[in-house]
Amino acid sequence: MSESEHIDKAAGVLERRASRGAGRLYRVRDFLVAMAALALIATVVGFFIFAARVGGQTENPPAGVSADAIVVLTGGRARLEPAVTLLREQRGARLLISGVDADISDVTLRRTLDIDADLFECCIDIDREALDTEGNARSSAAWAQRNGYASLIVVTNDYHVPRSMLEMRNALPDVEIVAYPVVNMKPETVDLAASMDRYRVLLGEYAKYLVARARTLSF
């Protein structure tokens, strides 16, 4: 075989190898694109399921439902007032207000919520250490364990219920948790601007929920 034939043969081998390598790269690329598309579809579908789950909640736990104690996760007066009402109705023996800003004194909080001083002193505990939902769950778990509570009503906004329940049940696996969703947006008051803002909040909360779910490995 002449030198030129050797060169041509070697070139052919290299070309076939390059072609097979390119084929493998294309298959890997197509696989990754397909996986990314499936992940995107799953995320979008998951978001709408999440939004429907949140939208299907009604305010207040079922009539007659009570627990050993009540926890409210701070995030606005709309959450705090129902929690105090539950305490006044004796739906729980004590109330933990979790995540109160360090700059807000007990006196300011009591006056803002118009809580009787005797009720505040006897039956309300304040947590100023929690900075996020995970921290709320840790503080609530420590409080429940100190007091020997086996059941809790947890008050928070409706959009926050899935993530707060995930964190609470992860921190308190042996405690019965009952959600009290506070519904801020009533169907009869919804307009386009409010609806857009609602979906913006839901999208942000859904992203946080996915991170929390991955972290707790609660599937």
Side-chain angles (χ1 to χ4, degrees):
M1 183 180 293
S2 67
E3 183 178 350
S4 62
E5 288 174 330
H6 279 295
I7 293 173
D8 289 342
K9 184 177 180 180
V13 171
L14 290 174
E15 184 177 349
R16 287 193 295 274
R17 288 179 178 174
S19 178
R20 287 196 295 271
R24 284 194 293 270
L25 288 175
Y26 288 140
R27 287 193 293 273
V28 171
R29 181 203 63 185
D30 292 345
F31 175 78
L32 292 176
V33 169
M35 290 299 99
L38 287 174
L40 178 60
I41 292 170
T43 300
V44 172
V45 171
F47 170 70
F48 283 105
I49 293 172
F50 176 86
R53 177 183 172 188
V54 169
Q57 297 177 113
T58 56
E59 197 164 31
N60 306 330
V65 168
S66 61
D68 291 340
I70 305 155
V71 176
V72 57
L73 312 184
T74 55
R77 184 166 179 167
R79 300 181 185 184
L80 297 173
E81 290 179 341
V84 173
T85 298
L86 288 174
L87 181 65
R88 288 180 176 135
E89 293 175 352
Q90 299 182 340
R91 306 284 285 274
R94 294 187 71 82
L95 168 64
L96 173 67
I97 304 177
S98 179
V100 175
D101 192 296
D103 294 331
I104 299 176
S105 69
D106 288 3
V107 172
T108 299
L109 185 63
R110 180 177 67 78
R111 289 176 177 172
T112 300
L113 295 174
D114 192 26
I115 302 172
D116 179 82
D118 290 339
L119 180 66
F120 193 90
E121 289 298 324
C122 86
C123 304
I124 295 180
D125 297 315
I126 308 297
D127 159 46
R128 290 187 169 82
E129 295 183 2
L131 301 177
D132 53 21
T133 306
E134 185 182 359
N136 291 141
R138 286 197 303 268
S139 295
S140 299
W143 179 74
Q145 288 162 3
R146 281 197 308 271
N147 291 283
Y149 296 141
S151 59
L152 297 173
I153 295 174
V154 176
V155 181
T156 190
N157 287 97
D158 57 349
Y159 62 82
H160 190 228
V161 164
R163 184 160 60 101
S164 62
M165 291 301 99
L166 179 67
E167 297 285 11
M168 284 287 183
R169 287 170 179 151
N170 184 61
L172 288 160
D174 299 322
V175 173
E176 180 185 358
I177 309 293
V178 179
Y180 181 112
V182 177
V183 181
N184 289 48
M185 183 179 290
K186 310 296 182 182
E188 63 272 15
T189 63
V190 173
D191 57 23
L192 180 59
S195 182
M196 292 295 290
D197 187 61
R198 170 76 165 177
Y199 273 97
R200 177 188 61 77
V201 171
L202 284 174
L203 188 59
E205 185 60 29
Y206 178 60
K208 295 176 183 178
Y209 173 75
L210 291 180
V211 171
R213 185 156 186 165
R215 177 176 49 74
T216 58
L217 298 178
S218 179
F219 295 98

